[in-house]
């Protein structure tokens, strides 16, 4: 059932004032001044990383990028609610989640530059690389959570997806299987109001969290631009999963301020007024106002945060530009865990094709 709240869960108003919520405030009672400053630092760093990656794409250094500006609180709040042993399945926009899980900024762009199938080893941070097939990661996460349950592992598995993915059959199958088998999955929907150019109301006349209720799992809506509220709600959901109570659905209401990807032109389907209504709810401004209102940070702190963000952006840029160009035939590496006859034939055929106009053999091409 959907949690009995008239409005999405909120603990910080856009002007920085606290909101007392008897059901959720206690879940973040341990988040004192230092932790609040850390959350703000995360928000600033990941926006700076996002802006740097967009600039790199515009300069021709990346083939594509999926911007996340506006969605920082949904990602940071949820990622910081997780334990190290929890496992994360991402879509293609969770750059802030990757940062919070310990991914080096220098490893974030290899896939987007076309240099590798992935950027980091998922086993080192319990976090998958970007998944491009919309909604497929829901099935991957559900299978992993079921395996964890059979192994007796007391962990939560979380899967990130957008509002558009809720219209995909893969996700419906994942929701149904997770309920039927009691898999400990947190289905975390970042409802950023646009599935590329299709608005959410075109997909569903009711809140997306109610779709979860239709499958028989608990669900809650949260203000996705309130990092503290997202942290509280995700802690609740992850605990539910770890305790063996089955899946949980979170709908974080947020807004994609930029394009769907850098190949998209959002001005074709939304107006400047749409953006203005959400700018006043900016997750970074909200957190900064809280820190200033409660005298928890000074000018030196904000300057230090900016330095940290710039250092991270520099690392991302340097890592991108230092990526070696892959040899053409490496695209066939790591596709299967073992040798595969069909893939071997395709590799040989492509090598012959390249040799026909380069005059080099397969070994030289590698």
């Amino acid at each position: 059932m959907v949690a009995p709240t008239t409005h999405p869960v909120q603990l910080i108003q856009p002007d920085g004032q606290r909101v007392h919520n008897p059901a959720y405030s206690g879940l973040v009672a341990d988040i004192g001044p230092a932790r609040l400053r850390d959350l703000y630092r995360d928000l600033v760093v990941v926006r700076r990383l996002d802006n740097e990656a967009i600039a790199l794409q515009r300069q021709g250094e990346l083939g594509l990028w999926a911007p996340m500006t506006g969605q920082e609180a949904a990602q940071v709040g949820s990622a910081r609610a997780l334990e190290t042993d929890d496992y994360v399945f991402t879509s293609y926009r969770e750059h802030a989640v990757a940062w919070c899980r310990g991914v080096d900024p220098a490893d974030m762009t290899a896939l987007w530059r076309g240099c590798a199938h992935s950027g980091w080893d998922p086993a080192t941070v319990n976090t998958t690389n970007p998944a491009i097939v919309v909604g497929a990661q829901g099935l991957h996460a559900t299978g992993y959570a079921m395996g964890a349950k059979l192994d007796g592992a007391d962990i939560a598995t979380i899967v990130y997806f957008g509002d558009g993915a809720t219209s995909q059959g893969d996700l419906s199958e994942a929701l149904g299987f997770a309920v039927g088998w009691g898999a400990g999955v947190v289905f975390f929907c970042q409802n950023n109001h646009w599935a590329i150019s299709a608005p959410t109301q075109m997909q569903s006349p009711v809140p997306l969290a109610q779709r979860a209720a239709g499958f028989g799992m608990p669900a809650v809506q949260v203000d996705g631009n309130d990092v503290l509220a997202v942290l509280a709600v995700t802690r609740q959901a992850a605990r539910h999963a770890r305790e063996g109570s089955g899946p949980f659905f979170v709908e974080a209401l947020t807004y994609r301020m930029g394009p769907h990807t850098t190949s998209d032109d959002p001005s074709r389907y939304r107006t400047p007024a749409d953006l203005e209504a959400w700018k006043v709810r900016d997750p970074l401004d909200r957190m900064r106002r809280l820190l200033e209102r409660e005298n928890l940070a000074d000018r030196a702190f904000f300057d230090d945060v900016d330095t940290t963000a710039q250092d991270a952006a520099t690392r991302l840029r340097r890592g991108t530009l230092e990526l070696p160009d892959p040899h053409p035939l490496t695209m066939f590496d790591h596709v299967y865990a073992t040798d595969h006859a069909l893939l071997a034939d395709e590799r040989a055929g492509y090598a012959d094709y390249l040799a026909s106009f380069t005059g080099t053999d397969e070994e030289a091409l590698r």
Side-chain angles (χ1 to χ4, degrees), residues 274-339:
D274 295 329
L275 292 176
E276 290 302 318
W278 281 90
K279 282 182 178 178
V280 298
R281 309 177 198 179
D282 186 283
L284 276 67
D285 292 344
R286 184 182 308 206
M287 195 61 178
R288 179 167 181 142
R289 288 168 185 148
L290 172 69
L291 294 176
E292 293 175 335
R293 177 182 291 275
E294 299 186 359
N295 296 314
L296 301 179
D298 56 17
R299 181 70 259 170
F301 166 75
F302 292 119
D303 288 344
D304 182 63
V305 167
D306 290 341
T307 298
T308 302
Q310 183 56 45
D311 289 345
T314 299
R315 185 162 183 79
L316 182 144
R317 173 171 287 271
R318 182 182 299 119
T320 300
L321 299 181
E322 290 178 352
L323 284 167
D325 291 333
H327 293 292
L329 293 179
T330 59
M331 74 169 72
F332 298 98
D333 294 345
H334 309 299
V335 176
Y336 293 99
T338 58
D339 291 338

Side-chain angles (χ1 to χ4, degrees), residues 16 146 150 158 164 194 197 223-224 287 314 328 347 351:
M146 192 61 197
L150 293 173
I158 186 170
W194 293 99
S197 59
D223 183 340
M287 195 61 178
T314 299
R347 182 200 301 270

Side-chain angles (χ1 to χ4, degrees), residues 66-82:
M68 65 173 180
T69 295
Q71 299 180 220
E72 295 90 350
Q75 295 189 24
V76 169
S78 57
R80 290 304 185 193
L82 303 174

Side-chain angles (χ1 to χ4, degrees), residues 23-47:
Y24 290 96
S25 293
L27 290 169
V28 289
D30 61 313
I31 307 298
R35 294 288 298 280
L36 289 172
R37 288 191 289 268
D38 287 343
L39 290 170
Y40 177 76
R41 186 184 300 272
D42 284 334
L43 295 173
V44 174
V45 169
V46 297
R47 178 167 293 184

